[in-house]
Amino acid sequence: MVAREAPARALADALARGGFRGGRAGASNSGMQPVGTVVAFGAAPTRAAARLDLPSLSCDAVPFGDDLFPRLKQLHGGALLFLLAASEDDPSLAAAAKAARILRRRGGGAAVLVLPPSPALPGPQARARLSRMAALTECCALRPVGAASWEDAVRCLVEPLSVFGLVGVERGEVLDLLQPRGALLHLWEDPSLELALRDARDVLVTCRLRPDAALADLDAAQMRVRAATLAHLVLAGPEVPDDDGPPAIAAVFL
């Protein structure tokens, strides 16, 4: 749902269309293509990916190993390609770019290079480097900030497409955001989110609605973003189990 439309109206429209489907195909997925392919480079990203129930998210996991690239050549790439990097040195970026090229040739879609988390909001020089990494790899270069991590990047981008939600988004709304450019990922409780939003061109907010959630939660999320920026906002509300994940995640595209 693009946030020009009030959540209550989006809910009514969704119900009139029969709601948003769940299941393996996901809310916006079609055919047999997975929603996402998650490639973990290194130990920490591998542990992060293991904390997710990727099959329930219609995602395929590709563990790191010496035979990684031959294995990638046997896969059908997902609509979203997640390259979880443990480092941002030149060899790591080259490996991620190669993986993205292989998976695109295997039918994959938009590629997201998820970099190691930054403990604080990146400054101008760090953001410029983020843009250079995006250009070099031809991926959206996404930097988790603060307590955000690799698995939160997957949650933020995949759950709107693969998890049932009374307020959902179309696949194209998410894919259109994932151009080769820099982006920052924030958990909802992060006080630096407002500062990041000031420089936003586009924003995706995934409100992870628990069983006791209300549409007022979506209204509050929209109001918080609109208080900081008039950038294009995509607001999603997938219904998730009462897990230990964050209540909402924001991707701020620069």
Side-chain angles (χ1 to χ4, degrees):
M1 182 193 75
V2 178
R4 289 189 300 268
E5 182 177 41
R9 178 181 171 188
L11 173 61
D13 290 345
L15 294 176
R17 296 193 300 269
F20 294 91
R21 300 187 305 277
R24 169 69 187 174
S28 305
N29 195 29
S30 61
M32 297 302 293
Q33 184 185 32
V35 172
T37 301
V38 181
V39 185
F41 294 89
T46 297
R47 289 193 296 269
R51 290 191 286 268
L52 296 168
D53 184 1
L54 290 175
S56 73
L57 296 175
S58 302
C59 289
D60 293 332
V62 187
F64 187 65
D66 293 339
D67 60 343
L68 172 65
F69 296 117
R71 282 186 284 119
L72 290 178
K73 293 176 182 179
Q74 305 303 314
L75 294 177
H76 182 45
L80 300 175
L81 308 175
F82 292 94
L83 312 165
L84 311 185
S87 173
E88 55 193 76
D89 58 18
D90 289 344
S92 297
L93 296 180
K98 181 177 180 179
R101 289 195 300 270
I102 292 172
L103 288 170
R104 286 189 183 110
R105 289 196 293 267
R106 300 291 301 169
V112 185
L113 172 65
V114 187
L115 296 159
S118 170
L121 186 66
Q125 291 185 343
R127 295 186 189 197
R129 174 166 170 73
L130 200 60
S131 296
R132 289 194 296 272
M133 287 188 284
L136 178 66
T137 60
E138 297 182 337
C139 301
C140 178
L142 181 60
R143 172 81 73 188
V145 177
S149 188
W150 294 276
E151 66 264 33
D152 295 313
V154 178
R155 287 183 176 119
C156 182
L157 296 168
V158 166
E159 286 181 344
L161 303 184
S162 63
V163 178
F164 179 91
L166 291 178
V167 177
V169 298
E170 297 298 324
R171 178 192 286 192
E173 292 182 75
V174 175
L175 296 181
D176 287 348
L177 298 172
L178 301 176
Q179 306 301 319
R181 57 177 170 173
L184 303 173
L185 188 80
H186 291 261
L187 301 188
W188 198 240
E189 301 90 344
D190 187 348
S192 70
L193 173 59
E194 273 75 12
L195 293 176
L197 287 170
R198 294 177 185 177
D199 297 321
R201 295 186 178 182
D202 299 282
V203 182
L204 168 66
V205 175
T206 299
C207 293
R208 308 180 69 246
L209 302 179
R210 273 35 179 220
D212 59 349
L215 282 175
D217 297 328
L218 292 163
D219 289 323
Q222 179 172 325
M223 290 175 62
R224 181 180 180 187
V225 173
R226 281 288 164 254
T229 181
L230 294 177
H232 171 245
L233 170 61
V234 177
L235 186 63
E239 297 181 21
V240 302
D242 193 9
D243 59 16
D244 58 356
I249 310 170
V252 179
F253 298 90
L254 306 174

